[in-house]
Amino acid sequence: MAKTNPKNLKYTKEHEWVKVEGEIVTMGITDYAQELLTSLVFVELPKVGKKTEQTKTLAVVESVKSVSDVYAPVSGEVIEVNTSLTKKPEIVNEDAFGAGWIAKIIISNSKELDKLMDADSYTKFCQKEEKH
Amino acid sequence: MKLIFEKSVPGQSSVSLPESDIGKIKIDQLLPKSKIRKELDLPSVNETDLVRHYTELSQRNFGVDQGFYPLGSCTMKYSPKVNEEMASLTGFTQIHPLSDDVDVQGALQLYYELEEFLKEITGFTAVSLQPAAGAHGEATGVMLMKAYFEDRSEKRTKILIPEAAHGTNPASSALCGFETVTIKSNSQGEVNLDDLKKNMNRETVGLMLTNPNTLGLFEKNIKKICQIVHHQGGLVYCDGANMNSMLGVTRPGDQGFDLIQLNLHKSFSTPHGGGGPGSGPVGVNKKLVPYLPVPRVKKNGNLYCRDYNHEKSIGKVKTFMGNFGVMVKAYTYIRALGGKGLKRAGQNSVLNANYLMKKLKPYFDLAFDKTCMHECVFSDKKQQLYGVTTLDIAKRLLDYGYHAPTIYFPMIVHGAIMIEPTETESKRTLDEFVEVMIKIANECRTKPELVKTAPHKMLVTRVDEVAAARNPNLKWEE
Amino acid sequence: MDFVPATNKEEKEMFTTIGINRIDQLFAGIAKEHRLKRELNLPAGLSEIELKREIESMAGKNRIYQTSFRGAGAYRHFIPSVVKHLVMRSEFYTAYTPYQAERSQGMLQSIYEYQTMICRLTGMDLANASMYDGASALAEAALMATRITEKKQVLLSSAVHPEYQATVKTYCHANDVKVVDLPFKTGTTDLKELKTLLNDNVGGVIIQNPNFFGSFEEIKEIAQLVHQIGAILIINVVEPTSLALIKSPGEQGADIVVGDGQSFGLPLNFGGPYIGFMATKTEYIRRIPGRLVGMTKDTQGRRAFVLTLQSREQHIRREKATSNICTNSALCALTVLVYLSTLGPKLRKVAELSMAKTHYLAKKLAKLPGIRLINSQNFYNEFVIRVKNSQTVLKKLRNQGIEGGVDLGNYYSQLKNHLLFCVTELNTKEEMDKIIKILN
């Protein structure tokens, strides 16, 4: 059972979450996503300084049976990455919304945030996906 | 079980080498000391222990010779022993690949005739035996398609691949820089014609298609499919992994395909070797002949010779001629069976698959309830009600002395179980397999925990794949 | 003989179960226009007696030389009887890829042992489970280097085996990677030219050691130059018995080591199947193509082996895979493993005998009138001599039942009338003295 989606975060259709703090956003993948992926064995973090583009690949998460792209929820520049995931990718499984954050991005276009879903919409979106 | 390195005892040996007959060897007179290696850390094992070690390892393994191997898409048919004997003839094993043509007429004849046989079987104009495996043949095929359009100064960057396709298809395309566009399947599990039409254009090299498809179903609309692609000047590639069902009945060349890759280690009985070596010949129609890898073998009167004079050739995809040792086995097989035998093999592979499908249908959810070709696909839908998955069923089959079928492929069937019995299995084997599958289906209902924690009778239980991937240990260090 | 067990009676029983009367009803889904309206035009099937006769006669049309000095990527070495005996156990050769780990611990453990052997020989951190052959492994290494550095250009020494060069070029062309030829001078890669060609656009540099002419390259020096501009050094080893004798490529700065393991127990087989090996540094573990076997534990804590990091491979990653490779050359890898286990440290003696005998022959040939040895001091078990007319020399030797060296005029226009000779531990003093006598 996936954890409840925190109300203070925004969400993408590709199961990334975003915490907005002024010009800086922190992002990661949702608990729903980590459950689907099962135990992560590796996280390929983006390089600090990388220019991101909304919906383009930012990082890669790898489990034993699958590899998934993590897409940038916003355009901007990566200013920090969660290096603890390199040694312990399982942190994402344990605490996807907290300690399992992946990167912090300084956004270039705040209008893009309007394209993201709120917690309720995302929860409904996941329920729809499950039915398929 | 210990590793060979753990059995090493300094001073022991399994080999005897003669003394030098050119006087004492002083290596430091031939090489400066700074270039000579100081340590050579290879194990020293006596011959008794060496033989026991590898014999024991073989006993911890499982091949077609040990039991039924219904791996869908792999065609695990019986490998005739006469093939092995012919491939071991010193007249084949001791000839150097760079021998003069006149010294290897027998080898070149075999090579040439095998090409002719494969042309006839598949309905294509020419065949290259150079690629070393199916995936290699596929990559070669995609390179040929690229060369074809380059020669016409047409810039095409995309390739169409059905969603049911094997992973090598998009991987091979990426190897040549093409962007994959996925084509949906229709409700029958076949290529969705509308989606194909929508996506086929002059920027697209064409379509890669497996026929029969990865569900074991023959693409009814193959003529229309080829028309749609050809209409836009594209090419249709046949992934020939499922050739076994078509032998002597229908030919991809006649169906409209422009090229194909074959797997000699599938339809043509050469052994799988635990994961190779194989051989992946590529067949092409007239359009693609100029681009084939070199050398080609030609016949001038009664003399066979190697010809490197092909300007437009893509070059080479490996050294020398390809996996000749594997070709001898396939050649022997085709000569043993002849056209009639190949047709019977193909027909009976389809008979066996349909027989199993009918017998298993009441117990397992059938993905597509219609006549299949040489393989059929089930899912774990019925067993999921008890919390048992395809993986669990596969592991439980190991306990009963079988190799599991192919699982979780094709991806368009959730929890796919793909069963390909091949024609070399007797009715008794098939009936026993059905009995065991029914037993397991019952266990799923009555003792699901037993299935979920299988296998129980192997030398090891389920292995920790997560740990293996998180902290890879890929070599032995003392 | 078609190996189909079903009797007429059994077929009828199966028809009844399925609900058909004739077998071709199962093919009704194939439109009539696609069905073959004739039998396949192939020679009629044969009984085993006739079959063997046919094929043995074909094998008999090939000439086996008792005495041969031909190498160039395919080497005659001693293969202990034990090797074939063990490798031909059917549990190995009739098995599939070890995807069901619990049932394939034998094959998996042998691949793990093989990976270990390759690492020890090459001096690298990790090795894959093998690839089709040295040339395709080299081509894949070139692509790997371009992916790591994100630079689509490689420098390729012209002293690399010509067929390997051709394969690299075929793969690179298909992948829009530029290949720049790195010329050789007096039989080894021209370092001056290398310095000129190295720039920020270069992702990888490919050097063969010992090179196609048998000569040793200055790996350490080359590594320094290559690393200075941040490119990747790929060392290609076509005669890996050399690894028992000379400093490993890993020790000298290689980033990726590839080559062909044919010398380790695989017969000549007219060119295949052989085996490509690839080894690299820990940091590239997720970039290396091919299968990897790892050691782990089962639920009872017992040692176990499993295919790992499969997510990089085609069946999962699909178009983003590190390569499209499916099979490796598993049985050949097993052969290499058994050979190396059998030889053990005595592999060094094989290398010493090969090298010493080669120098013996080279020295004596160089003294003959009309023959000039081209290699300088450092060469392994192959060398190049210049003669008046290469075809005349080869013919003379043929007539005496000797397979001479390779005519380099076939590969390099500037090397007409140059012959590449190879000597291994199998060649005897008598054979070598015989050549000297014939060519005197």
Side-chain angles (χ1 to χ4, degrees):
Chain A
M1 245 334 277
K3 300 196 180 116
T4 339
N5 300 308
K7 293 219 183 286
N8 64 325
L9 304 177
K10 286 199 171 300
Y11 301 83
T12 69
K13 285 203 174 102
E14 298 293 343
H15 307 289
E16 290 99 18
W17 57 262
V18 162
K19 182 163 154 195
V20 184
E21 286 166 313
E23 278 197 318
I24 299 179
V25 308
T26 308
M27 59 80 61
I29 62 170
T30 64
D31 196 69
Y32 177 84
Q34 72 75 22
E35 225 177 53
L36 279 179
L37 289 166
T38 71
S39 305
L40 290 194
V41 300
F42 187 70
V43 177
E44 191 182 306
L45 296 165
K47 285 201 174 74
V48 171
K50 179 186 166 93
K51 297 273 188 299
T52 69
E53 214 185 297
Q54 194 181 43
T55 74
K56 291 261 149 78
T57 304
L58 176 66
V60 180
V61 290
E62 191 184 310
S63 70
V64 165
K65 292 292 183 219
S66 69
V67 182
S68 291
D69 289 312
V70 177
Y71 302 99
V74 292
S75 309
E77 188 181 312
V78 176
I79 54 168
E80 204 186 323
V81 295
N82 188 355
T83 51
S84 64
L85 297 182
T86 309
K87 270 235 161 79
K88 302 191 90 199
E90 57 266 37
I91 297 176
V92 175
N93 297 111
E94 291 159 10
D95 187 9
F97 292 119
W101 65 275
I102 293 175
K104 290 197 207 278
I105 303 170
I106 189 163
I107 55 177
S108 55
N109 181 0
S110 52
K111 283 213 176 77
E112 283 181 343
L113 294 171
D114 299 336
K115 294 201 189 127
L116 305 176
M117 291 182 264
D118 64 17
D120 284 331
S121 310
Y122 177 65
T123 307
K124 286 201 183 87
F125 173 72
C126 292
Q127 285 168 346
K128 236 172 142 188
E129 266 205 3
E130 264 184 1
K131 286 211 171 82
H132 272 266
Chain B
M1 183 182 157
K2 288 207 166 97
L3 295 163
I4 191 73
F5 310 102
E6 296 174 292
K7 297 179 180 177
S8 173
V9 176
Q12 284 187 0
S13 174
S14 294
V15 74
S16 61
L17 290 167
E19 288 310 312
S20 154
D21 54 358
I22 51 165
K24 189 162 167 122
I25 297 174
K26 296 188 181 111
I27 277 296
D28 49 4
Q29 286 184 1
L30 300 175
L31 255 186
K33 239 193 180 135
S34 60
K35 286 207 149 81
I36 299 178
R37 185 178 182 128
K38 291 205 175 65
E39 238 186 67
L40 183 60
D41 195 5
L42 296 178
S44 333
V45 186
N46 66 76
E47 195 166 321
T48 311
D49 287 346
L50 179 90
V51 171
R52 287 199 182 135
H53 180 83
Y54 291 105
T55 302
E56 189 179 346
L57 279 184
S58 78
Q59 292 165 338
R60 296 165 82 95
N61 220 49
F62 185 88
V64 174
D65 280 9
Q66 282 68 52
F68 187 40
Y69 226 113
L71 269 179
S73 177
C74 301
T75 313
M76 300 298 289
K77 68 169 79 179
Y78 171 72
S79 293
K81 303 313 167 211
V82 64
N83 294 358
E84 302 304 314
E85 206 171 297
M86 295 300 97
S88 306
L89 293 172
T90 51
F92 291 135
T93 61
Q94 289 193 21
I95 46 176
H96 193 285
L98 297 176
S99 295
D100 300 338
D101 286 344
V102 66
D103 286 339
V104 288
Q105 286 296 296
L108 294 177
Q109 179 188 351
L110 188 146
Y111 199 91
Y112 181 87
E113 287 183 8
L114 181 59
E115 282 187 356
E116 294 295 301
F117 295 162
L118 296 176
K119 274 158 64 175
E120 169 63 4
I121 290 166
T122 56
F124 284 99
T125 309
V127 164
S128 168
L129 295 172
Q130 198 176 109
H136 203 203
E138 221 179 271
T140 306
V142 180
M143 290 188 206
L144 292 173
M145 291 165 84
K146 187 167 183 166
Y148 173 83
F149 288 107
E150 271 178 3
D151 198 20
R152 278 154 185 69
S153 306
E154 280 184 53
K155 185 127 176 89
R156 296 192 184 216
T157 57
K158 301 200 186 85
I159 193 162
L160 307 178
I161 298 178
E163 60 180 348
H166 193 278
T168 48
N169 291 172
S172 302
S173 310
L175 211 67
C176 297
F178 290 128
E179 185 197 321
T180 301
V181 175
T182 308
I183 302 297
K184 298 194 185 65
S185 307
N186 61 24
S187 59
Q188 296 299 300
E190 300 155 355
V191 167
N192 181 321
L193 289 180
D194 290 326
D195 207 29
L196 177 65
K197 225 182 261 166
K198 196 174 86 176
N199 286 290
M200 184 59 212
N201 50 44
R202 301 232 156 227
E203 286 169 1
T204 306
V205 298
L207 173 72
M208 285 182 93
L209 185 64
T210 310
N211 196 26
N213 67 19
T214 55
L215 294 158
L217 306 169
F218 190 86
E219 291 272 357
K220 283 193 319 293
N221 301 315
I222 186 63
K223 194 173 179 182
K224 196 96 226 294
I225 291 169
C226 291
Q227 271 173 2
I228 292 171
V229 176
H230 289 147
H231 184 66
Q232 298 282 0
L235 297 167
V236 192
Y237 173 98
C238 182
D239 182 333
N242 292 332
M243 189 67 214
N244 207 40
S245 56
M246 296 202 276
L247 297 172
V249 171
T250 176
R251 308 192 307 175
D254 298 336
Q255 292 165 21
F257 286 100
D258 296 295
L259 71 163
I260 187 173
Q261 117 282 334
L262 294 166
N263 305 59
L264 295 186
H265 46 290
K266 292 189 180 181
S267 320
F268 300 97
S269 88
T270 74
H272 284 72
S279 174
V282 174
V284 299
N285 64 14
K286 221 165 54 177
K287 296 177 198 168
L288 295 164
V289 169
Y291 314 104
L292 288 173
V294 286
R296 318 259 325 114
V297 174
K298 297 248 146 79
K299 194 173 178 188
N300 288 330
N302 278 333
L303 209 65
Y304 297 92
C305 63
R306 280 169 281 194
D307 181 9
Y308 292 84
N309 253 332
H310 292 268
E311 261 182 37
K312 295 190 177 176
S313 161
I314 56 170
K316 295 188 74 59
V317 294
K318 80 177 285 290
T319 45
F320 312 129
M321 312 288 286
N323 284 346
F324 182 75
V326 175
M327 293 172 209
V328 175
K329 300 180 193 184
Y331 181 86
T332 304
Y333 180 71
I334 296 172
R335 292 302 308 268
L337 268 63
K340 279 207 172 81
L342 285 173
K343 185 169 181 179
R344 180 148 192 258
Q347 287 180 320
N348 277 63
S349 75
V350 175
L351 176 64
N352 281 0
N354 278 283
Y355 179 68
L356 278 185
M357 190 175 80
K358 262 290 168 3
K359 285 254 166 163
L360 292 173
K361 197 171 127 177
Y363 307 95
F364 294 90
D365 175 61
L366 189 58
F368 291 93
D369 193 355
K370 51 181 178 166
T371 303
C372 63
M373 296 295 280
H374 63 310
E375 60 197 9
C376 51
V377 181
F378 293 91
S379 83
D380 57 1
K381 203 161 166 192
K382 289 189 171 149
Q383 287 68 35
Q384 284 266 17
L385 296 171
Y386 307 99
V388 180
T389 65
T390 290
L391 181 70
D392 301 329
I393 297 167
K395 298 299 181 192
R396 186 63 181 143
L397 265 170
L398 302 182
D399 284 334
Y400 283 98
Y402 295 101
H403 192 277
T406 297
I407 54 176
Y408 299 111
F409 178 78
M411 298 191 322
I412 60 169
V413 173
H414 186 75
I417 302 171
M418 194 192 323
I419 297 174
E420 180 184 354
T422 84
E423 72 282 3
T424 57
E425 299 299 332
S426 67
K427 184 168 176 294
R428 182 172 57 84
T429 303
L430 299 180
D431 289 334
E432 285 174 357
F433 176 69
V434 168
E435 261 176 54
V436 164
M437 285 292 276
I438 294 173
K439 225 183 204 152
I440 295 177
N442 286 334
E443 284 176 355
C444 291
R445 283 186 304 109
T446 58
K447 305 184 254 189
E449 273 316 301
L450 189 65
V451 184
K452 280 154 76 168
T453 52
H456 304 284
K457 299 198 179 141
M458 299 293 106
L459 295 163
V460 297
T461 54
R462 292 199 201 184
V463 301
D464 191 348
E465 294 182 301
V466 173
R470 276 196 192 144
N471 297 302
N473 170 346
L474 306 174
K475 68 172 178 188
W476 179 248
E477 281 176 304
E478 256 102 42
Chain C
M1 189 63 202
D2 59 19
F3 306 98
V4 176
T7 62
N8 274 338
K9 179 165 175 271
E10 288 174 332
E11 284 181 1
K12 286 204 167 67
E13 287 168 10
M14 290 199 271
F15 290 167
T16 307
T17 304
I18 295 169
I20 57 174
N21 297 318
R22 292 173 344 262
I23 204 162
D24 56 287
Q25 285 175 274
L26 293 173
F27 295 86
I30 303 177
K32 277 217 163 69
E33 61 182 324
H34 291 140
R35 296 217 232 151
L36 259 183
K37 294 170 185 64
R38 57 173 176 81
E39 294 298 323
L40 283 172
N41 187 10
L42 296 172
L46 299 170
S47 72
E48 190 168 322
I49 297 177
E50 297 161 311
L51 184 65
K52 280 177 154 161
R53 210 179 279 148
E54 271 284 315
I55 298 180
E56 281 166 9
S57 125
M58 279 176 112
K61 290 186 194 160
N62 299 322
R63 183 174 180 178
I64 304 173
Y65 286 90
Q66 289 307 324
T67 305
S68 170
F69 293 91
R70 196 160 287 189
Y75 301 97
R76 270 167 223 272
H77 282 289
F78 163 57
I79 302 176
S81 307
V82 134
V83 174
K84 187 167 180 196
H85 182 88
L86 290 168
V87 163
M88 283 314 282
R89 290 187 65 85
S90 67
E91 295 93 332
F92 284 135
Y93 84 83
T94 66
Y96 187 65
T97 307
Y99 286 123
Q100 294 295 344
E102 302 84 356
R103 204 55 188 94
S104 331
Q105 286 297 296
M107 201 68 209
L108 288 166
Q109 179 171 330
S110 69
I111 297 173
Y112 180 85
E113 292 181 359
Y114 160 85
Q115 285 170 186
T116 305
M117 297 279 200
I118 297 295
C119 287
R120 291 184 182 190
L121 283 168
T122 58
M124 303 301 284
D125 300 327
L126 64 110
N128 68 18
S130 76
M131 307 179 83
Y132 311 129
D133 77 327
S136 55
L138 180 61
E140 295 260 15
L143 296 182
M144 181 178 156
T146 62
R147 281 192 296 259
I148 292 170
T149 56
E150 294 181 346
K151 295 178 185 170
K152 291 193 108 170
Q153 188 184 125
V154 296
L155 302 184
L156 174 63
S157 163
S158 301
V160 167
H161 191 302
E163 298 215 8
Y164 281 64
Q165 288 187 55
T167 307
V168 169
K169 288 181 177 172
T170 297
Y171 273 70
C172 284
H173 179 84
N175 221 264
D176 298 316
V177 170
K178 183 170 176 204
V179 178
V180 175
D181 291 324
L182 188 49
F184 59 83
K185 192 174 173 186
T186 60
T188 51
T189 304
D190 188 337
L191 294 189
K192 224 161 141 195
E193 279 292 325
L194 173 61
K195 282 188 189 127
T196 330
L197 291 170
L198 277 173
N199 59 49
D200 280 331
N201 295 322
V202 175
V205 177
I206 300 172
I207 305 286
Q208 179 172 317
N209 192 44
N211 68 24
F212 183 60
F213 311 118
S215 294
F216 291 114
E217 301 270 8
E218 295 298 330
I219 305 300
K220 228 180 180 158
E221 212 181 313
I222 293 172
Q224 271 169 3
L225 293 170
V226 171
H227 292 149
Q228 244 162 46
I229 61 132
I232 289 192
L233 179 60
I234 300 167
I235 299 297
N236 185 39
V237 183
V238 172
E239 229 299 21
T241 55
S242 62
L243 294 173
L245 189 55
I246 58 172
K247 272 215 162 77
S248 73
E251 272 179 279
Q252 300 189 76
D255 298 303
I256 306 174
V257 182
V258 291
D260 204 302
Q262 178 268 323
S263 293
F264 291 151
L266 291 167
L268 291 172
N269 259 328
F270 197 50
Y274 291 171
I275 175 174
F277 59 83
M278 183 185 282
T280 189
K281 296 167 18 176
T282 307
E283 64 186 279
Y284 300 136
I285 191 173
R286 283 185 155 74
R287 309 297 207 126
I288 191 173
R291 298 201 177 110
L292 294 170
V293 170
M295 184 191 277
T296 183
K297 293 197 162 78
D298 73 351
T299 58
Q300 307 290 317
R302 286 178 289 220
R303 181 190 276 180
F305 300 92
V306 70
L307 286 173
T308 190
L309 300 182
Q310 285 187 78
S311 45
R312 311 156 302 116
E313 292 183 59
Q314 48 73 26
H315 56 291
I316 292 176
R317 201 75 171 105
R318 299 172 73 92
E319 63 265 21
K320 295 192 182 157
T322 45
S323 169
N324 76 336
I325 198 165
C326 226
T327 40
N328 45 328
S329 208
L331 205 69
C332 298
L334 180 66
T335 307
V336 166
L337 170 65
V338 178
Y339 173 88
L340 291 173
S341 303
T342 308
L343 269 289
K346 288 199 173 163
L347 184 66
R348 170 76 167 239
K349 191 162 183 192
V350 168
E352 287 185 359
L353 282 170
S354 297
M355 187 169 178
K357 290 189 187 223
T358 303
H359 281 251
Y360 174 87
L361 181 62
K363 257 197 206 99
K364 295 218 157 173
L365 279 173
K367 290 200 179 109
L368 297 181
I371 296 184
R372 216 190 87 177
L373 176 67
I374 301 299
N375 305 63
S376 59
Q377 281 283 71
N378 294 321
F379 55 94
Y380 178 53
N381 71 349
E382 291 182 278
F383 59 88
V384 179
I385 51 170
R386 195 176 72 196
V387 297
K388 283 218 175 77
N389 186 304
S390 52
Q391 287 307 310
T392 312
V393 169
L394 290 176
K395 222 183 239 157
K396 258 194 197 156
L397 295 174
R398 258 184 85 90
N399 292 338
Q400 300 285 327
I402 298 176
E403 190 176 46
V406 171
D407 188 345
L408 293 183
N410 294 335
Y411 297 113
Y412 300 92
S413 54
Q414 74 271 45
L415 293 180
K416 285 198 167 63
N417 296 315
H418 285 68
L419 291 167
L420 178 69
F421 272 76
C422 171
V423 186
T424 71
E425 75 282 7
L426 288 182
N427 295 103
T428 63
K429 181 172 182 289
E430 276 95 317
E431 290 173 355
M432 294 191 279
D433 291 342
K434 190 173 175 190
I435 289 196
I436 303 298
K437 211 165 153 203
I438 297 169
L439 296 181
N440 201 343

